[in-house]
Amino acid sequence: MIRKLLNGDIDRVADIWLKTNLKAHYFISNQYWKSNYELVKEMMLQSEVYVFEVDKMIQGFVGLNDEYIEGIFISDEM
């Protein structure tokens, strides 16, 4: 199911964001991503974000800016 991000989703979504960035951007210091973690959580709550759930577990999300996709993130489990 795809639905709009809820406040209670933010920890799972932010964890997917962090793990994905650490893996995909191995050439950037891990500390960079970790130091921006809390800021990104705040920004996501103020943005247009949709989550993808399987069996009530968020497995991915997409961030939008009008009609532009800012990013798509999928959990390692998927």
Side-chain angles (χ1 to χ4, degrees):
M1 172 172 81
I2 297 173
R3 63 171 175 76
K4 200 162 179 84
L5 175 76
L6 303 173
N7 286 351
D9 301 329
I10 196 60
D11 287 335
R12 172 67 178 163
V13 169
D15 285 345
I16 292 171
W17 174 86
L18 180 60
K19 288 176 185 174
T20 302
N21 278 309
L22 290 173
K23 189 173 184 179
H25 300 104
Y26 58 88
F27 49 88
I28 297 175
S29 165
N30 287 358
Q31 187 55 39
Y32 171 80
W33 301 109
K34 292 175 182 178
S35 67
N36 284 291
Y37 182 79
E38 293 300 324
L39 175 62
V40 168
K41 283 172 67 171
E42 290 175 29
M43 291 173 64
M44 280 190 216
L45 289 172
Q46 298 172 15
S47 301
E48 186 177 6
V49 176
Y50 293 87
V51 300
F52 171 67
E53 282 185 327
V54 176
D55 296 326
K56 298 185 180 182
M57 175 62 112
I58 295 171
Q59 297 296 343
F61 69 96
V62 60
L64 303 175
N65 183 357
D66 293 323
E67 295 178 4
Y68 179 77
I69 296 174
E70 294 284 350
I72 299 174
F73 295 81
I74 307 298
S75 70
D76 280 348
E77 295 87 18
M78 292 302 290

